[in-house]
């Protein structure tokens, strides 16, 4: 018995580490692809060089991020056969369908068009080149949709039947799998959170460069400051828009969660007993063994509204829900109670860190309104140059102190933390189920993989990911601190209108330079 528990625990730790690590890159990939596409579109439409330089700069960071995301994602999928073979046998016909669609459709868009975009700057017409990055952005969204559809099926299985001969789940209808309310709501919430992540990423890096330029006037090229001004304002707008979208989609997801997994809702609020109206918990310290909270600070009626859009409705508590699930599926009611500590605090950390970036975006837009963070622009030829280097520091506005810029930099990490705790809450709150109502996590583990093998794999993956994390961070920091390369000139005219170029580079060594 103890060996079986250790077997399951190690498998869960390994998959949890892989998933959380992988999901650090996914939101940035989704958001940066679309942001870079938008910036290149602005350059194609206006011809302003600041948009071209911004496209190249943020595109470079996007490429670093997507490379790491692909590597970790492949390893994650292999674990279904390594540690969760019984799960794969049971639901492979259903779960594998959206994953196959992701590989055949979404990954095709990403891998094909990203190559054209990287190597086609001087070879494709500008509009066609811009269309390539939009196709990459579409591919990232489709990829997330199919993967989230598979995960949503684990949360709320639909469109299947159980084969009486084999006892396996078989797909009967792909439409509800792809378009059930769980999938649609989760996709909206994940995508808005992804764009909030990308917005905070832009705000953080732009804040660093603008604060450095403000402290040392003349240290940054005017063109570089222009790129960072544009990036900061764009990031702040996106943070406000998608921060609000994350909150609204999260509210709708909470209602779906209440209907489909009442235990997860109760665990998120440490609501032990059924209450009408049900309060929203701000702080609680509970006694799991006795099934109640010893300390709690609550706001009356708010949980009822989150669950039912009604401040007076009843919300079932942990104890009653566990009794109901035990009566339906058998066993001890305590077996159906997830980790209250993890779900309760994971839910709060997800909301807290996510909404902090939204608030920072609102404050940032207010303090930088009418371009108060920099002096007005003057024109030199066709290049917009801010008069930052000519402006005394005291004229840049009393609101924008060094703490304002530091908060902007710190904001960069908040959505990443929120995303991680969001996934932890989503998966831990479903326990003890691997597929809700159909298969427990204990039954999903590979039966023939030894504990020693699992420990070795866990140590190997953790060490490898730690090394990759160092590489990733160093690369991002190196190119983020360097800023945009503003002495690079965009293609002067459409490559399709030019004649064949002279073969001046025929004898030069090949080199990759984005």
């Amino acid at each position: 018995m103890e060996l079986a528990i250790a077997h399951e625990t190690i498998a869960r730790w390994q998959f949890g580490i892989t998933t959380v690590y992988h999901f650090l890159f996914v939101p940035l990939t989704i958001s940066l692809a679309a942001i870079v596409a938008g910036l290149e579109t602005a350059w194609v439409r206006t011809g302003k060089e600041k948009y071209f330089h911004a496209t190249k700069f943020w595109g470079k960071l996007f490429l670093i991020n997507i490379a790491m995301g692909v590597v970790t994602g492949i390893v994650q999928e292999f674990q279904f056969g390594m540690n969760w073979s019984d799960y794969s046998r049971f639901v492979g016909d259903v779960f594998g369908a959206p994953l196959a669609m992701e590989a055949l459709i979404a990954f095709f868009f990403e891998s094909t068009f990203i190559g054209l975009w990287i190597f086609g700057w001087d070879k494709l017409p500008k509009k066609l080149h811009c269309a390539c990055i939009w196709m990459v952005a579409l591919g990232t969204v489709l990829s997330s949709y199919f993967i989230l559809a598979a995960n949503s099926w684990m949360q709320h299985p639909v469109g299947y039947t159980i084969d009486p001969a084999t006892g396996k789940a078989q797909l009967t209808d792909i439409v509800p799998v792809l378009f059930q309310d769980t999938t649609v709501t989760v996709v909206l919430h994940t995508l808005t959170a992804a764009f909030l992540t990308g917005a905070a990423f832009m705000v953080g890096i732009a804040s660093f460069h603008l604060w450095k330029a403000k402290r040392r006037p003349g240290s940054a090229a005017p063109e570089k400051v222009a790129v960072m001004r544009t990036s900061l304002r764009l990031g702040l707008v996106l943070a406000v828009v998608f921060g609000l979208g994350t909150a609204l989609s999260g509210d709708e997801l909470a209602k779906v969660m209440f209907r489909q997994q009442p235990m997860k809702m109760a665990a998120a609020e440490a609501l032990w007993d059924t209450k009408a109206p049900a309060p929203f918990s701000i702080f609680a310290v509970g006694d799991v063994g006795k099934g109640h909270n010893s300390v709690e600070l609550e706001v009356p009626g708010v949980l009822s509204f989150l669950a039912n859009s009604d401040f007076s409705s009843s919300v079932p508590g942990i104890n009653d829900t566990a009794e109901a699930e035990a009566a339906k599926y058998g066993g001890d009611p305590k077996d159906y109670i997830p980790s209250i500590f993890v779900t309760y605090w994971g839910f709060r950390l997800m909301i807290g860190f996510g909404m902090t970036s939204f608030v920072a975006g609102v404050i940032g837009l207010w303090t930088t309104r009418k371009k108060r963070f920099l002096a007005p622009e003057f024109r030199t030829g066709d290049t917009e140059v801010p008069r930052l280097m000519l402006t005394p520091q005291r004229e840049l506005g009393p609101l924008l102190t060094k703490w304002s810029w530091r908060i902007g930099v710190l904001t960069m990490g908040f959505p990443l933390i929120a995303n991680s705790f969001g996934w932890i809450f989503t998966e831990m709150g479903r326990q003890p189920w691997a597929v809700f109502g159909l298969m427990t996590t204990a039954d999903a583990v590979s039966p023939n993989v030894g504990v020693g093998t699992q420990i070795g794999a866990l140590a190997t993956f953790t060490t490898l990911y730690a090394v990759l994390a160092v590489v990733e961070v160093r690369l991002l920091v190196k190119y983020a601190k360097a800023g945009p390369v503003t002495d690079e000139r965009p293609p002067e005219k459409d490559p399709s209108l030019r004649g064949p170029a002279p073969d001046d580079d025929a004898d030069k060594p090949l080199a990759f330079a984005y």
Side-chain angles (χ1 to χ4, degrees), residues 183-214:
T183 300
V184 174
T185 310
V186 167
V187 168
L188 287 175
H189 187 57
T190 304
L191 289 181
T192 52
F195 278 93
L196 177 61
T197 305
F201 188 72
M202 292 188 77
V203 168
I205 294 175
S207 295
F208 168 79
H209 282 280
L210 291 175
W211 169 239
K212 185 171 69 171
K214 182 182 174 219

Side-chain angles (χ1 to χ4, degrees), residues 35 38-39 199 202-203 229-239:
I35 289 170
L39 289 169
M202 292 188 77
V203 168
R229 284 182 65 185
T230 300
S231 299
L232 178 64
R233 289 292 290 179
L234 176 59
L236 290 171
V237 170
L238 292 177

Side-chain angles (χ1 to χ4, degrees), residues 46-89:
T46 67
K48 293 182 179 180
E49 289 191 9
K50 67 176 182 180
Y51 293 124
F52 169 76
H53 295 140
T55 301
K56 298 283 280 187
F57 173 67
W58 295 108
K60 188 179 297 182
L61 300 182
F62 161 69
L63 292 175
I64 295 171
N65 187 77
I66 194 174
M68 296 294 289
V70 169
V71 171
T72 56
I74 292 174
V75 173
Q76 184 183 20
E77 292 190 4
F78 272 117
Q79 289 193 67
F80 288 116
M82 293 161 50
N83 280 338
W84 306 98
S85 60
D86 278 0
Y87 168 84
S88 299
R89 292 189 187 96

Side-chain angles (χ1 to χ4, degrees), residues 92 108 141 144 157 169 181 186 213 216 227 232 262 273 294 304 324 393 398 421 423:
F108 168 80
V141 172
S144 65
D181 55 354
V186 167
R216 298 195 296 268
V227 171
L232 178 64
D273 300 312
S294 52
S304 295
Q393 185 169 329
F421 279 108
W423 268 115

Side-chain angles (χ1 to χ4, degrees), residues 18-359:
T18 305
T19 301
V20 172
Y21 186 83
H22 173 64
F23 201 68
L24 292 174
F25 308 105
V26 171
L28 272 180
T29 297
I30 295 170
S31 56
L32 286 180
I35 289 170
V36 171
L39 289 169
E40 184 169 357
T41 301
W43 169 60
V44 171
R45 289 177 61 86
T46 67
K48 293 182 179 180
E49 289 191 9
K50 67 176 182 180
Y51 293 124
F52 169 76
H53 295 140
T55 301
K56 298 283 280 187
F57 173 67
W58 295 108
K60 188 179 297 182
L61 300 182
F62 161 69
L63 292 175
I64 295 171
N65 187 77
I66 194 174
M68 296 294 289
V70 169
V71 171
T72 56
I74 292 174
V75 173
Q76 184 183 20
E77 292 190 4
F78 272 117
Q79 289 193 67
F80 288 116
M82 293 161 50
N83 280 338
W84 306 98
S85 60
D86 278 0
Y87 168 84
S88 299
R89 292 189 187 96
F90 178 66
V91 302
D93 291 345
V94 182
F95 190 77
L99 293 185
M101 296 173 74
E102 188 269 339
L104 293 173
I105 301 174
F107 193 70
F108 168 80
F109 278 104
E110 293 179 70
S111 58
T112 300
F113 288 99
I114 200 170
L116 292 172
W117 187 72
I118 292 172
F119 298 105
W121 277 101
D122 297 320
K123 299 175 179 62
L124 297 176
K126 288 199 296 186
K127 292 183 178 179
L128 182 57
H129 185 266
C130 184
C132 288
I133 189 62
W134 277 113
M135 296 303 288
V136 174
L138 175 62
T140 62
V141 172
L142 287 175
S143 180
S144 65
Y145 193 102
F146 290 128
I147 292 172
L148 290 171
N151 181 267
S152 296
W153 188 84
M154 297 168 65
Q155 310 287 340
H156 184 239
V158 293
Y160 76 97
T161 187
I162 301 297
D163 187 338
T166 63
K168 299 179 181 179
Q170 291 186 336
L171 180 67
T172 58
D173 190 353
I174 190 62
V175 173
V177 175
L178 295 179
F179 300 108
Q180 63 163 315
D181 55 354
T182 312
T183 300
V184 174
T185 310
V186 167
V187 168
L188 287 175
H189 187 57
T190 304
L191 289 181
T192 52
F195 278 93
L196 177 61
T197 305
F201 188 72
M202 292 188 77
V203 168
I205 294 175
S207 295
F208 168 79
H209 282 280
L210 291 175
W211 169 239
K212 185 171 69 171
K214 182 182 174 219
R215 279 191 308 161
R216 298 195 296 268
S219 63
E223 295 83 1
K224 183 178 292 188
V225 176
V227 171
M228 287 306 164
R229 284 182 65 185
T230 300
S231 299
L232 178 64
R233 289 292 290 179
L234 176 59
L236 290 171
V237 170
L238 292 177
V240 172
V241 172
F242 288 102
L244 183 60
T246 301
L248 294 176
S249 60
D251 175 69
E252 183 60 30
L253 183 57
K255 292 175 172 58
V256 172
M257 180 177 68
F258 170 71
R259 293 195 302 269
Q260 297 174 354
Q261 296 183 37
M263 176 60 81
K264 187 182 290 187
M265 171 65 84
E269 292 301 317
L271 182 70
W272 290 97
D273 300 312
T274 302
K275 293 183 179 180
F280 179 85
S281 176
I282 298 177
F283 178 81
V285 176
D287 189 331
V288 177
K290 296 181 179 179
H292 66 80
N293 294 327
S294 52
V295 178
E296 54 190 10
L297 178 62
E298 301 172 333
V299 180
V302 175
L303 182 57
S304 295
F305 180 80
L306 292 176
N308 295 308
S309 300
D310 181 354
F311 284 101
S312 60
S313 63
S314 175
V315 176
I318 295 171
N319 295 323
D320 291 338
T321 304
E323 291 284 352
E325 292 197 8
K328 182 176 182 179
Y329 301 110
D332 189 333
K334 292 182 179 180
D335 295 337
Y336 296 93
I337 300 176
S339 171
I340 304 302
F341 178 84
V342 173
T343 51
Y344 180 85
W345 290 110
F347 188 64
R348 270 139 196 80
L349 291 169
M350 173 188 68
I351 295 174
F353 280 105
M355 289 302 98
T356 298
S357 293
F358 167 70
V359 173

Side-chain angles (χ1 to χ4, degrees), residues 338-469:
S339 171
I340 304 302
F341 178 84
V342 173
T343 51
Y344 180 85
W345 290 110
F347 188 64
R348 270 139 196 80
L349 291 169
M350 173 188 68
I351 295 174
F353 280 105
M355 289 302 98
T356 298
S357 293
F358 167 70
V359 173
V362 172
I363 296 174
L365 279 181
W366 173 257
T367 55
T368 60
R369 68 194 187 280
K370 298 181 181 179
K371 300 179 182 179
R372 292 186 179 186
F373 60 116
L374 293 173
E377 294 175 342
F378 69 92
R379 287 185 174 272
T380 302
D382 294 328
T383 304
E384 295 182 357
V385 183
R387 292 177 55 198
L388 177 67
M389 284 65 67
L390 307 178
T391 306
Q393 185 169 329
R394 64 178 181 275
E395 295 181 11
L396 294 179
L399 291 175
L400 289 174
T401 64
K402 62 181 179 180
W403 292 107
S404 302
W405 298 109
R406 287 175 179 176
I407 291 172
V409 174
L410 290 174
T411 301
M412 180 167 50
F414 292 161
L416 295 174
I417 299 172
N419 293 333
S420 297
F421 279 108
W423 268 115
I424 291 171
F425 164 73
T426 298
E427 298 305 300
M428 290 292 289
R430 190 181 66 243
Q431 298 305 314
W433 300 105
V435 181
F436 188 81
L438 292 182
M439 182 180 228
T440 65
T441 306
D443 292 334
V445 182
S446 298
N448 297 321
V449 178
V451 173
T453 302
Q454 287 184 309
I455 294 174
L458 175 61
T460 301
F461 278 122
T462 304
T463 303
L464 177 61
Y465 282 178
V467 173
L468 290 176

